[in-house]
Amino acid sequence: MKACEKCGSYAINPGRHGRDNTDQGLCDVCFWRKRAAEKERSLAETQRQIIEAAERRGYERAIAECAQVARAAKGDDHA
Ligand SMILES: [Zn+2]
């Protein structure tokens, strides 16, 4: 039986617990932890892009656009 390459656990179950067959060297915990970290990185990247755009275009306009997007998402775009 193979141990997790990160933490040494033997709980490696590719294809089970919602896992696909990638990262077969990782246990179930490290498999999902890695995906959570990737999601967090992409969220941080989105945040960085929004701030950058706001600085480029001026905060007031960016905030107005964000408010518009938020209203549209709520289905209330006539405000
Ligand atoms: Zn592990």
Side-chain angles (χ1 to χ4, degrees):
M1 208 179 188
K2 241 177 69 179
C4 173
E5 60 196 35
K6 263 212 153 92
C7 73
S9 163
Y10 288 100
I12 301 176
N13 301 293
R16 294 182 59 194
H17 309 302
R19 292 181 62 159
D20 53 25
N21 285 311
T22 58
D23 283 323
Q24 297 197 9
L26 296 179
C27 74
D28 298 342
V29 171
C30 292
F31 176 90
W32 288 113
R33 196 168 278 160
K34 182 181 172 189
R35 270 139 195 85
E38 281 164 3
K39 203 158 264 181
E40 211 159 288
R41 261 198 304 281
S42 95
L43 267 177
E45 173 62 14
T46 303
Q47 218 165 30
R48 193 190 59 73
Q49 287 172 354
I50 289 170
I51 290 168
E52 225 179 69
E55 284 170 350
R56 254 201 323 272
R57 302 178 62 180
Y59 280 101
E60 249 169 68
R61 186 168 167 193
I63 288 166
E65 282 175 20
C66 286
Q68 206 169 14
V69 169
R71 276 197 299 272
K74 273 175 34 189
D76 177 25
D77 44 12
H78 50 76

